[in-house]
Amino acid sequence: VSKLYLCDGLNHCPQGDDELSCGIEHCPSGCQCFAGFVKCKNLPNLQIASEVFKLVTKYLHIENSLFEISHSSLQHFSNLYQIIIINTSSHMICSPSFPKLPNIHSFSSTRNMYPVLYSQCFGAYMSKVVTLSLANNYISKLHIETFDGLHSLQFLNLSMNLIASFHRKLFLSLHLLIKLDISKNNILELQIFTSDFFPNLMQVFSD
């Protein structure tokens, strides 16, 4: 739908997404909000308080802002479809405080600090995610079960990190994986990816 039809009082999308979060009274200070999309940039202390606003938000983009992704910060964002976080204070991506996001389709994190990703880092919180981008987050270690539970994942980007070893078992549960990018890491060990284990894999990018 063209931007001309966003927030014009008429539903042009089947689910009425073009009229979501059009009330600026709920938009966090310093952010841009329209049709379920929220973009917050260069904010020293981002606060999203309105529960009503959270329920209608589907796309959340946070950049160069002080914002920790946790259960408390994303509570009530039950309809989130896409999250993009760039250069924030977030570093608790695998902690027990990470929120469950049942409808997330795409999760992208860049220039945040996640040195170690532990077992079932994402599957327990965003099991429906299709695209997972973790490029340039200073990741140095992956647990063998980091990506377990991501049965819908098709696109995985781990490029520009500090990972030295990629074991084939890391990705064994990703039966629908189509594209894998592990380029620009400190790779010392890389096991062969065969079609027997990854029948849908079409592209692997590595150094």
Side-chain angles (χ1 to χ4, degrees):
V1 175
S2 169
K3 288 185 179 181
L4 296 175
Y5 299 109
L6 299 179
C7 298
D8 64 354
L10 300 174
N11 289 340
H12 300 285
C13 295
Q15 305 297 322
D17 292 3
D18 55 307
E19 296 300 312
L20 293 177
S21 63
C22 292
I24 59 173
E25 67 272 13
H26 295 306
C27 189
S29 177
C31 299
Q32 298 175 331
C33 308
F34 58 90
F37 181 88
V38 181
K39 183 174 183 179
C40 305
K41 190 174 181 179
N42 302 324
L43 297 178
N45 188 20
L46 175 60
Q47 300 290 332
I48 302 178
S50 171
E51 293 184 12
V52 174
F53 177 80
K54 291 179 179 182
L55 285 173
V56 298
T57 299
K58 290 193 173 184
Y59 306 91
L60 184 62
H61 181 131
I62 300 176
E63 184 173 353
N64 299 333
S65 299
L66 186 61
F67 184 81
E68 182 66 68
I69 288 188
S70 65
H71 178 74
S72 59
S73 67
L74 288 182
Q75 189 178 19
H76 304 301
F77 275 97
S78 56
N79 291 309
L80 269 180
Y81 183 84
Q82 181 182 45
I83 295 180
I84 298 173
I85 53 173
I86 303 172
N87 192 29
T88 70
S89 58
S90 179
H91 65 278
M92 300 173 64
I93 200 168
C94 289
S95 74
S97 66
F98 196 77
K100 288 192 175 182
L101 303 168
N103 296 306
I104 281 291
H105 182 275
S106 176
F107 182 93
S108 176
S109 170
T110 305
R111 301 206 316 272
N112 296 292
M113 189 68 71
Y114 308 135
V116 180
L117 299 184
Y118 295 101
S119 176
Q120 296 186 6
C121 236
F122 303 96
Y125 308 103
M126 52 179 83
S127 59
K128 295 181 180 178
V129 70
V130 173
T131 300
L132 179 60
S133 180
L134 300 170
N136 195 11
N137 286 292
Y138 303 96
I139 300 170
S140 60
K141 185 178 180 180
L142 299 169
H143 189 277
I144 201 70
E145 297 175 344
T146 292
F147 303 112
D148 279 15
L150 298 181
H151 303 301
S152 299
L153 193 65
Q154 297 181 27
F155 306 95
L156 177 58
N157 185 353
L158 294 167
S159 64
M160 294 185 288
N161 283 294
L162 305 172
I163 306 168
S165 176
F166 286 96
H167 195 284
R168 185 171 54 208
K169 290 183 179 180
L170 268 170
F171 312 110
L172 280 184
S173 64
L174 308 180
H175 304 298
L176 298 181
L177 193 64
I178 294 174
K179 180 180 176 180
L180 174 64
D181 190 345
I182 54 176
S183 61
K184 298 181 181 178
N185 276 279
N186 297 332
I187 300 177
L188 300 176
E189 178 186 7
L190 176 61
Q191 296 198 358
I192 298 173
F193 296 87
T194 66
S195 58
D196 295 337
F197 291 96
F198 309 97
N200 297 297
L201 191 60
M202 299 178 63
Q203 293 179 305
V204 177
F205 296 93
S206 61
D207 297 328

